Amino acid sequence: FRSSFFLKNDATVWASGVNDQGQRGWGVTGANYASEPASIASGVESVSAGRYASFMVTTDKRLLACGDNDHGQLGDGTQADINHPLQILEVTLPDICRHLAAGEYHSLYLKSDGTVWSTGRGTSYGQLAAGPGTIEVTEPIRVLSGVRSVASGGEFSLFLLEDGSAWAAGDNTHGQLGDGTTTHRFWPVKVMDGVRDITAGDDHSLF
């Protein structure tokens, strides 16, 4: 959303862009811009950038996070911002992380057993996929199983199950969930079958 991350062949991560919430992971926080990438982490196999927070999965399946944590979106059980990549406590994410997706103020963690866990802000849209009334959580909560991959939009979430079906939850103001309505969904709803991949923008989705 506001910063960019580059994962090189040598498993190092480089970052550029805005750093007002420490999301670049350089160990400092400030409303400064960087037009040239700088190295911030090594031994990484995947990265995901939200609007104000950033996440990395290492080659040994540890989860690193940095940036804004006002709504608990980093999932470390606190609401303290982090300006350098920090390993999320193992007690918070008790199994290895296979994939992750960061939205505006929420995050999705896909574990090795195919379960999805969400954390951060749910607001009145339901992007945490945990039902109405789940407004804000600071530690990941389990929301779905049998999942192959996940994607986060601004304030909505997409799930691709192992059977090839796509599901969605959260903000649907612009029809971004793809279920034929503009109704917000607090629980995941099935969108279509025969899907190979999913991705989400701020207010739109691709299946």
Side-chain angles (χ1 to χ4, degrees):
F1 291 101
R2 292 161 56 85
S3 56
S4 300
F5 292 81
F6 307 88
L7 178 58
K8 298 179 65 175
N9 291 332
D10 61 2
T12 60
V13 175
W14 298 63
S16 63
V18 178
N19 193 48
D20 54 347
Q21 302 294 327
Q23 62 265 50
R24 267 199 333 249
W26 288 7
V28 296
T29 301
N32 56 315
Y33 297 77
S35 58
E36 293 187 7
S39 179
I40 62 169
S42 59
V44 176
E45 70 173 27
S46 66
V47 295
S48 180
R51 186 177 295 274
Y52 303 108
S54 310
F55 302 83
M56 288 154 266
V57 177
T58 65
T59 52
D60 57 0
K61 305 302 182 183
R62 292 178 295 112
L63 175 63
L64 306 179
C66 60
D68 179 34
N69 198 27
D70 289 352
H71 303 281
Q73 60 264 47
L74 299 187
D76 66 344
T78 77
Q79 291 178 301
D81 297 348
I82 301 172
N83 60 22
H84 62 283
L86 181 70
Q87 180 175 345
I88 299 302
L89 299 178
E90 191 171 350
V91 67
T92 302
L93 198 67
D95 199 0
I96 60 177
C97 187
R98 192 173 78 191
H99 184 60
L100 52 92
E104 185 169 10
Y105 293 113
H106 77 289
S107 309
L108 303 174
Y109 303 145
L110 175 59
K111 291 169 57 176
S112 60
D113 61 3
T115 60
V116 173
W117 300 63
S118 64
T119 187
R121 189 174 76 171
T123 65
S124 59
Y125 295 128
Q127 60 264 43
L128 296 182
T134 309
I135 303 302
E136 193 168 276
V137 296
T138 60
E139 294 188 14
I141 53 176
R142 179 173 172 168
V143 296
L144 207 57
S145 60
V147 179
R148 184 193 309 168
S149 68
V150 292
S152 291
E155 295 191 277
F156 66 97
S157 303
L158 303 179
F159 312 91
L160 177 58
L161 271 60
E162 293 288 359
D163 64 5
S165 62
W167 297 65
D171 181 22
N172 201 22
T173 302
H174 306 286
Q176 58 265 50
L177 299 189
D179 66 347
T181 76
T182 55
T183 302
H184 305 323
R185 303 295 185 179
F186 295 93
W187 301 104
V189 294
K190 188 175 181 179
V191 178
M192 64 174 68
D193 291 306
V195 179
R196 189 173 69 182
D197 198 9
I198 54 174
T199 188
D202 195 20
D203 290 307
H204 74 288
S205 305
L206 298 176
F207 303 89

